[in-house]
Amino acid sequence: MTEIPSPERGRTAPRPLPLPRLGDARSLRDLVGRRSAETAKTPDLSPRLFRAGIAACTAGVAAFLFAQITAWPPHEDETLALFVGRQSLGGLFNTVLGQRGGAPLHFLLAWLVAHAGGGLTALRLLSALFAIASVPVIALLCERLTDRATALTATVIASASWVLLFHGVYGRMYSLFLFTSALSYLSLLVALDGGGRRRWSFWALSILLTLAVHPYGALVITSQGLFVLTSRKRLREAITAFAAVAVLAVPLWRADLVLAGRFDVGVGGGGAKLGGPLSVLRYLRGVAGDFSIGYGSGLLGVCALAIVGIGHLSRTRRQAAALAGCVFGTPTVALLLAKLGSSTSPESRHLIFALPFFSLLVAAGLVSSARTMPPALAGAAVAAAIAAIAPVEVAWAWHKTPALFHREPQLRVEAREAASAWLAKTTRRDDILFGYDPIFLGAWRRSPVVPRTVVPRADAKLALKVLRAQARPLGRAVFVFDRSDTNNYVRRLYIPLRYPEPRAAFDARSYGPFLVIRTKQPTRTVRGYLQAASAVQLVGLSLYLGDADVNYATVQRALHRLDGLP
């Protein structure tokens, strides 16, 4: 600092920092940056290094997802999306909004894939692209809330997490949910800072897309509303924008009510809860593990960093702390109050919108702790910590989902292809499939004759509704068992050939771990179909297959509803 003579005492005094000229935004930013650098233990990353780090994270995620896009075995939920996507556009919206409930955007994308001639790989590529696009959006969101060093650290932690890597190759809506929700949080911050019709319109569009991706988008917009109320910034503009979104989203609210009715989800008394505060805490612990490191000691360390991070942000970045509090507080309260049906099981993927904020808290704790060290060591300490955390995150992903990293056995692939080929050759247009098994998807890809009608296997209400909507007489019933499925207590790559009773009424084929069973004659009535399904599921129970108990219970509940019993 330059010393100048002091006229009063003949001593020298520090030269004050030059004040910026009024309206000179660049000078003001320079002044703020200079003072921040003087007060911080370590300077922030340069913009060039920050951009290079984010580009490396994005490229790393892209390389992994593209390399492993077909490693994860086909799943029934992916098959569901493509089967629903086979319908006309009007039929799709009628099914999603009126019958199944839930958010339609993912099914609309599946409709585009199916009608463009694509299949499972094309659907998964969409998931991969949205997961890749989420990486720079997370970085920009975290940078706006904190600084470049913390934002880059948070982005690395998020990029290596199981929840991002797995849902990047899983052909469902969760990577899209992450992308749209992160974009909506970022656009909300931009609108609150700058205001204006254009910024609020962009936020409205992004939150409407979020609501159209997943019913838990309601938690996203609720957390944003609470944040706006606590920040008290641009309240008049915000109220207008939120009111417009509430009106435009009326079809989505209705679809969410349909979904809640299917699974008996609500608020208040008269139903089962998640299990009380301890159960909610265990659930959130699992979420934190899937967001970072699920191993006990590693998770404790990560959560300790997150606690340090929220404390640091509360002192230095109150906006970031307030938003993180709203993001985590909203689902916690909702889970404590929610009434959940017996078939409802919240999982970590449902809170994927909170991934950027959990990663931010961990990063803030790590970077703030490092900045207590000498500046020459702080950067190296953060780099070393990231180098230790990220590989353990990947190790947890490998432990949780081994099939994400190595391909399924070739015997299983060949057996599924053989079963699909047999069905494609022998199916009839009026056959009725039970459950969205990937073997049905393989048969559909081989033959246009494969029927579109699928009875859902875990929803008695919808199963009965689907059956009642079909023309009489009903066709043959088709079922598939998989002894190698992860839901089984014991997994095998072979399955014995078993027939339901009476044996003369059924045809059966076994292919490796897959058992395909079909009635020889049309089932004709809803009751006839359900009775055949009940006999088939008893075969699954005798083989101790994990899904057979759920399927059998579904069929029995549907029969009771058919008889008018409670």
Side-chain angles (χ1 to χ4, degrees):
M1 185 176 292
T2 305
E3 301 290 320
I4 59 174
S6 174
E8 291 83 7
R9 301 183 182 178
R11 295 182 306 196
T12 58
R15 185 185 300 275
L17 290 168
L19 292 175
R21 295 186 299 274
L22 185 62
D24 190 343
R26 181 174 182 180
S27 298
L28 180 59
R29 287 196 299 269
D30 291 343
L31 176 60
V32 172
R34 196 182 312 170
R35 287 177 174 170
S36 299
E38 291 174 359
T39 56
K41 292 293 183 182
T42 57
D44 199 8
L45 288 177
S46 68
R48 179 177 296 179
L49 185 57
F50 176 71
R51 289 193 295 268
I54 299 307
C57 290
T58 306
V61 170
F64 176 85
L65 297 183
F66 289 146
Q68 302 300 112
I69 199 72
T70 59
W72 170 249
H75 192 272
E76 64 177 327
D77 289 335
E78 298 170 310
T79 303
L80 185 156
L82 289 170
F83 261 85
V84 173
R86 293 176 65 189
Q87 304 178 58
S88 66
L89 191 58
L92 178 139
F93 282 113
N94 178 64
T95 298
V96 175
L97 299 179
Q99 296 181 13
R100 300 195 61 85
L105 184 55
H106 172 68
F107 287 98
L108 179 60
L109 294 176
W111 180 86
L112 292 172
V113 169
H115 285 263
L120 179 58
T121 301
L123 186 67
R124 288 183 170 184
L125 282 173
L126 284 179
S127 290
L129 291 175
F130 284 115
I132 294 164
S134 297
V135 175
V137 175
I138 290 172
L140 293 174
L141 173 61
C142 294
E143 182 195 19
R144 194 169 192 94
L145 289 170
T146 54
D147 54 66
R148 288 188 291 272
T150 305
L152 178 57
T153 304
T155 305
V156 175
I157 293 171
S159 298
S161 66
W162 171 85
V163 75
L164 186 143
L165 296 178
F166 173 71
H167 291 97
V169 299
Y170 191 18
R172 296 195 70 192
M173 71 285 291
Y174 292 100
S175 63
L176 176 59
F177 189 30
L178 173 62
F179 173 75
T180 56
S181 60
L183 189 64
S184 71
Y185 282 114
L186 177 60
S187 58
L188 177 67
L189 294 175
V190 172
L192 288 174
D193 288 343
R197 183 176 300 176
R198 179 178 299 178
R199 293 184 179 90
W200 281 110
S201 296
F202 188 81
W203 168 80
L205 175 61
S206 62
I207 193 63
L208 282 170
L209 290 175
T210 303
L211 294 169
V213 172
H214 198 279
Y216 273 46
L219 297 179
V220 175
I221 193 173
T222 301
S223 69
Q224 294 178 358
L226 291 174
F227 173 68
V228 170
L229 291 176
T230 57
S231 66
R232 304 187 65 81
K233 292 174 63 176
R234 303 185 186 277
L235 276 179
R236 182 177 298 178
E237 294 180 6
I239 290 172
T240 301
F242 273 79
V245 168
V247 173
L248 293 172
V250 165
L252 302 175
W253 306 133
R254 180 182 177 278
D256 291 345
L257 290 175
V258 172
L259 182 66
R262 282 179 55 209
F263 292 102
D264 194 24
V265 176
V267 176
K273 303 287 185 179
L274 187 60
L278 288 179
S279 295
V280 173
L281 185 61
R282 283 193 292 269
Y283 166 66
L284 295 177
R285 176 194 179 279
V287 171
D290 289 343
F291 282 4
S292 56
I293 299 171
Y295 301 112
S297 57
L299 181 58
L300 284 176
V302 167
C303 289
L305 286 174
I307 293 172
V308 173
I310 192 66
H312 172 73
L313 294 178
S314 299
R315 295 188 302 271
T316 61
R317 307 273 186 171
R318 292 185 178 180
Q319 176 179 252
L323 183 53
C326 293
V327 169
F328 293 111
T330 299
T332 301
V333 173
L335 289 169
L336 288 171
L337 298 178
K339 177 192 73 174
L340 303 176
S342 59
S343 58
T344 306
S345 177
E347 299 184 30
S348 58
R349 62 175 180 260
H350 296 125
L351 299 189
I352 196 171
F353 63 87
L355 173 64
F357 299 93
F358 183 79
S359 301
L360 179 66
L361 295 183
V362 175
L366 179 58
V367 173
S368 63
S369 299
R371 284 176 173 169
T372 62
M373 303 178 181
L377 298 178
V382 172
I386 292 175
I389 291 174
V392 183
E393 287 187 275
V394 176
W396 171 251
W398 197 319
H399 169 79
K400 185 176 177 69
T401 313
L404 181 62
F405 293 84
H406 58 76
R407 300 184 181 277
E408 63 179 319
Q410 187 62 27
L411 174 62
R412 191 172 189 267
V413 176
E414 293 173 354
R416 185 170 55 248
E417 293 294 317
S420 296
W422 178 75
L423 278 177
K425 290 180 180 179
T426 61
T427 192
R428 300 174 186 169
R429 288 188 181 275
D430 63 344
D431 287 350
I432 300 177
L433 313 178
F434 186 87
Y436 291 92
D437 195 276
I439 286 177
F440 298 148
L441 180 62
W444 164 50
R445 296 287 293 168
R446 286 174 168 82
S447 172
V449 178
V450 173
R452 298 172 182 265
T453 304
V454 181
V455 177
R457 66 174 188 82
D459 186 338
K461 294 179 184 179
L462 188 56
L464 197 56
K465 189 173 184 178
V466 169
L467 288 171
R468 283 172 167 165
Q470 302 309 308
R472 304 295 191 275
L474 298 181
R476 299 177 301 178
V478 188
F479 308 87
V480 173
F481 289 119
D482 179 5
R483 204 181 185 193
S484 62
D485 190 82
T486 55
N487 289 335
N488 298 329
Y489 292 110
V490 178
R491 301 172 62 190
R492 295 287 186 268
L493 287 175
Y494 68 91
I495 191 169
L497 185 61
R498 297 280 180 88
Y499 287 83
E501 293 296 335
R503 177 169 179 169
F506 294 90
D507 194 5
R509 296 286 190 279
S510 63
Y511 300 90
F514 304 109
L515 177 62
V516 183
I517 300 176
R518 185 174 60 199
T519 60
K520 290 184 177 180
Q521 300 298 326
T523 54
R524 305 190 66 81
T525 65
V526 173
R527 184 178 302 278
Y529 183 95
L530 292 174
Q531 288 174 341
S534 181
V536 170
Q537 297 311 314
L538 289 175
V539 172
L541 290 173
S542 71
L543 293 171
Y544 303 101
L545 301 182
D547 289 335
D549 53 351
V550 174
N551 298 345
Y552 185 76
T554 299
V555 172
Q556 293 304 307
R557 285 196 298 269
L559 281 169
H560 287 168
R561 285 180 171 274
L562 190 64
D563 293 331
L565 299 175

